[in-house]
Amino acid sequence: TIGKVMFLKYEEIKMRPNFYLKEIAKFLECPFSKEEESKGVNDDILNLCSFEKLSNLEVNKFEKTSNEVENKTFFRLGQVGDWKNFLTTEMIEHINTITEKKFVKHGLKF
């Protein structure tokens, strides 16, 4: 059988995190109950998974992967558009070409 795939855009998640958390839960076939929502479970999850919380964990500040890459290298600012500070125009064009070619068949536009 073919598995299901859910495409998400970072920019959209940043704008509406609570909405997309609920969408992910539905996609995984474990939606929040009304009781869970009223108790703020979704807010607790968003807090635990926040960029600030994850980037400040000891494991992500001081430890390394099995390839000796520091975990902190996987965290920058967590800001929409920050990638522009790290990529050249040529790199952006190359990534856009690859991305459009691979994802256009799935109806994604960038």
Side-chain angles (χ1 to χ4, degrees):
T1 66
I2 296 176
K4 297 188 316 180
V5 175
M6 180 179 203
F7 291 101
L8 301 167
K9 294 180 182 177
Y10 184 72
E11 293 84 354
E12 292 173 1
I13 294 171
K14 286 284 284 188
M15 287 190 304
R16 299 174 61 196
N18 202 11
F19 171 81
Y20 283 102
L21 176 62
K22 290 177 188 179
E23 291 298 304
I24 292 167
K26 283 188 240 176
F27 178 78
L28 295 173
E29 298 177 1
C30 55
F32 293 104
S33 68
K34 289 182 183 193
E35 181 182 350
E36 288 172 323
E37 284 192 48
S38 68
K39 288 183 177 180
V41 171
N42 47 340
D43 293 327
D44 291 342
I45 291 170
L46 288 173
N47 179 49
L48 289 169
C49 296
S50 70
F51 178 84
E52 292 76 19
K53 187 76 134 184
L54 293 175
S55 62
N56 285 309
L57 291 174
E58 293 294 313
V59 67
N60 292 327
K61 282 183 161 185
F62 304 110
E63 295 193 25
K64 297 180 181 182
T65 67
S66 59
N67 296 337
E68 294 298 311
V69 176
E70 292 181 336
N71 290 344
K72 66 182 177 183
T73 60
F74 297 107
F75 294 90
R76 289 194 321 261
L77 299 177
Q79 299 296 317
V80 171
D82 185 46
W83 54 270
K84 294 175 187 171
N85 297 317
F86 295 89
L87 302 175
T88 65
T89 303
E90 294 79 22
M91 294 165 87
I92 294 167
E93 288 172 3
H94 187 67
I95 290 170
N96 285 342
T97 300
I98 293 169
T99 304
E100 288 172 12
K101 189 174 174 182
K102 298 285 184 182
F103 291 113
V104 71
K105 63 185 170 190
H106 300 289
L108 293 175
K109 295 185 172 62
F110 299 90

